[in-house]
Amino acid sequence: MPDHWYAWDIDSCWIHTVAGAGVFGSAEDALAEWQHAVGPAAGTALSPSAPETTARLLARCLETGPLLDMLQGSEPRELIREYYRLRRRARGLAGATAASAAAASSGGEDPGPEREAFLSWYAARHDDVPQDAADAVDTILHEWGPRAQPGERSRYACSPHRIEMTAHLIREGYFPDYANAALRLLPEWTQWCIGQSGLNGDFAARSRAAALTEAAALVDETHESAAEQDEAPFRRQE
């Protein structure tokens, strides 16, 4: 019987969203398909996954409920087809570990040690540490992807997409003073993550550039969220 390799492309920058799924004849074919989908910047290599990491990544695929995942309506047909297959595939792959997968996804982590480690690093680089630095770090940490991380590599991952999503959530979810304090600190947070993850070369440069771009787009007092700007999307046309 030929090998079957199941691949999920999971966007965990905010919520665990399955961006694509498929079955392949080899691990190399699955990796090549993913790299083709995300573009030439993808430099990921195959590596084994710890059981708890697999459980966390598959947890969202194992849950059920009519409102579990909200489709936007613009997904390609191929993705919709895989969408209805992925839960069955995840159950077959996880088997008896389904219960532990659901439990793994529900837990959170204490951000305290991470916050203090960053602030110590920041203080060593700057003479003055803003009084609101701790609160700004907490804001970033709160929006820096899901609380239940699959491991240290994911915790310090700082792709431009993740940085942009974090900045978007900060602008939309906080009053200007709090949002701007976090946005101003985002380049330093990104540099911290680059050092912790070992990111280098063009990948690190792209992340630094994204953080600087987002930090320059501060929130003013007249900023309104998308919901406030369009309170009645189905208003009558007079």
Side-chain angles (χ1 to χ4, degrees):
M1 182 177 179
D3 288 342
H4 284 71
W5 290 82
Y6 301 104
W8 285 267
D9 182 10
I10 301 175
D11 180 358
S12 59
C13 290
W14 177 30
I15 56 177
H16 288 301
T17 300
V18 178
V23 59
F24 302 88
S26 69
E28 291 73 21
D29 288 345
L31 178 61
E33 178 67 19
W34 179 79
Q35 290 176 327
H36 174 74
V38 300
T44 301
L46 294 171
S47 62
S49 172
E52 59 271 18
T53 300
T54 302
R56 283 174 175 166
L57 291 176
L58 289 178
R60 290 284 295 175
C61 303
L62 294 167
E63 296 172 1
T64 58
L67 299 178
L68 172 63
D69 293 299
M70 296 183 182
L71 299 175
Q72 296 178 353
S74 59
E75 295 82 1
R77 180 173 297 179
E78 291 78 8
L79 177 59
I80 296 299
R81 288 172 178 167
E82 294 301 336
Y83 174 85
Y84 290 105
R85 296 187 183 116
L86 73 88
R87 185 168 293 120
R88 174 172 54 84
R89 290 174 174 168
R91 284 174 176 167
L93 181 61
T97 65
S100 61
S105 68
S106 62
E109 295 183 358
D110 178 13
E114 196 169 11
R115 179 208 310 122
E116 297 308 316
F118 169 76
L119 289 175
S120 296
W121 173 87
Y122 183 91
R125 289 164 55 92
H126 300 275
D127 294 333
D128 296 322
V129 178
Q131 292 183 348
D132 58 358
D135 290 338
V137 178
D138 283 340
T139 299
I140 294 174
L141 283 169
H142 185 74
E143 305 300 348
W144 192 249
R147 294 296 183 89
Q149 300 290 352
E152 190 163 316
R153 289 172 58 189
S154 176
R155 181 180 300 111
Y156 297 116
C158 53
S159 69
H161 170 64
R162 188 175 198 176
I163 294 166
E164 292 161 3
M165 175 57 74
T166 299
H168 168 75
L169 294 172
I170 290 172
R171 291 191 193 95
E172 294 299 311
Y174 297 84
F175 290 115
D177 287 347
Y178 293 97
N180 290 338
L183 291 170
R184 292 189 184 99
L185 197 61
L186 194 55
E188 293 286 351
W189 170 258
T190 299
Q191 185 59 46
W192 157 258
C193 289
I194 287 172
Q196 296 300 306
S197 64
L199 197 66
N200 53 39
D202 182 60
F203 295 110
R206 291 171 59 209
S207 295
R208 292 189 190 98
L212 289 172
T213 298
E214 298 302 328
L218 298 178
V219 182
D220 59 40
E221 295 294 340
T222 62
H223 175 77
E224 293 180 331
S225 68
E228 292 170 331
Q229 295 170 9
D230 192 7
E231 295 179 357
F234 301 107
R235 64 172 63 91
R236 293 176 59 185
Q237 301 297 321
E238 299 296 343

